[in-house]
């Protein structure tokens, strides 16, 4: 009898997982809103520059950097979504609405902890690559050695992405 009560309480304790699911979704929504606001600000700034005939220095670098920053936030929001959906599906229940509408082709469907880890890792690597690209835009190259380092870093990122694409495919 005591064993049954303990096991029942332990099984219901999994519902605490709803906290990271709910706050993960809230975090994703916040990031989507903030990134969208950033893109809208770039739009307003760009329209202001062109409509008023302004020619600010480094205009293209500024808008590209701000858009890349927003893409970075979008990718982090996707990590939060994948995390929230994955934790929910692993600990609480399958999401019926997702299975009905996607017919087995759902990027948010998670069937194991390893699959969740792999999906999150891939998106995090993309976030790091986008962040690297954003930093590279603001780097001044003073010599051939710095350009060589830049080329090597791009090569290493490319090789890493190639192997990341091979993960999970046989």
């Amino acid at each position: 009898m005591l064993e049954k009560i303990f096991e029942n309480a332990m099984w219901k304790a999994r519902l605490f997982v709803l906290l990271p699911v709910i706050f993960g979704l809230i975090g994703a929504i916040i990031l989507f809103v903030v990134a969208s606001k950033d893109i809208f600000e770039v739009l307003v700034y760009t329209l202001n520059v062109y409509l008023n005939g302004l020619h600010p220095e480094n205009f293209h670098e500024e808008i590209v950097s701000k858009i890349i920053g927003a893409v970075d936030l979008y990718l982090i929001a996707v990590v939060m979504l994948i995390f929230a959906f994955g934790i929910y599906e692993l600990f609480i229940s399958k999401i019926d609405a997702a299975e009905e509408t996607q017919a087995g082709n759902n990027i948010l469907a998670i069937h194991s902890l390893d699959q969740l880890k792999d999906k999150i890792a891939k998106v995090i690597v993309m976030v790091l690559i986008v962040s690297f690209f954003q930093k590279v835009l603001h780097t001044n190259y003073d010599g051939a050695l710095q350009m060589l380092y830049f080329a090597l870093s791009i090569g290493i990122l490319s090789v890493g992405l190639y192997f990341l694409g091979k993960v999970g495919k046989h």
Side-chain angles (χ1 to χ4, degrees):
M1 165 100 171
L2 186 59
E3 178 183 358
K4 186 167 178 74
I5 292 171
F6 179 75
E7 287 177 358
N8 197 16
M10 204 166 79
W11 178 249
K12 289 182 180 176
R14 83 187 195 293
L15 296 177
F16 281 110
V17 168
L18 287 174
L19 287 173
V21 170
I22 292 167
F23 287 106
L25 290 173
I26 291 170
I29 291 168
I30 290 169
L31 288 171
F32 281 127
V33 168
V34 169
S36 298
K37 180 185 173 289
D38 290 351
I39 295 286
F40 183 75
E41 287 175 357
V42 170
L43 173 67
V44 169
Y45 174 64
T46 304
L47 289 174
N48 183 40
V49 164
Y50 284 117
L51 293 176
N52 293 318
L54 304 174
H55 301 288
E57 190 175 329
N58 300 325
F59 173 68
H60 294 102
E61 290 84 4
E62 278 184 53
I63 61 172
V64 168
S65 178
K66 289 177 182 178
I67 290 173
I68 290 172
V71 168
D72 206 23
L73 290 177
Y74 284 134
L75 286 172
I76 296 169
V78 167
V79 168
M80 298 296 291
L81 274 181
I82 291 171
F83 174 76
F85 276 72
I87 293 295
Y88 185 87
E89 283 197 344
L90 288 175
F91 289 94
I92 306 297
S93 170
K94 295 293 178 205
I95 301 171
D96 298 330
E99 291 179 9
E100 292 169 5
T101 58
Q102 294 296 323
N105 188 17
N106 189 355
I107 192 169
L108 296 175
I110 306 293
H111 304 293
S112 71
L113 200 53
D114 282 337
Q115 189 181 24
L116 175 63
K117 180 187 69 164
D118 289 343
K119 285 184 179 189
I120 289 175
K122 286 179 180 179
V123 178
I124 287 174
V125 168
M126 290 306 301
V127 167
L128 293 173
I129 290 170
V130 169
S131 295
F132 172 77
F133 181 59
Q134 187 177 22
K135 300 247 185 303
V136 165
L137 284 176
H138 297 292
T139 303
N140 293 324
Y141 302 102
D142 298 327
L145 186 60
Q146 288 179 334
M147 290 299 288
L148 177 65
Y149 290 153
F150 176 62
L152 286 172
S153 64
I154 290 174
I156 291 168
L157 283 174
S158 299
V159 169
L161 275 178
Y162 171 78
F163 285 116
L164 191 62
K166 296 288 185 186
V167 173
K169 296 178 183 175
H170 301 289

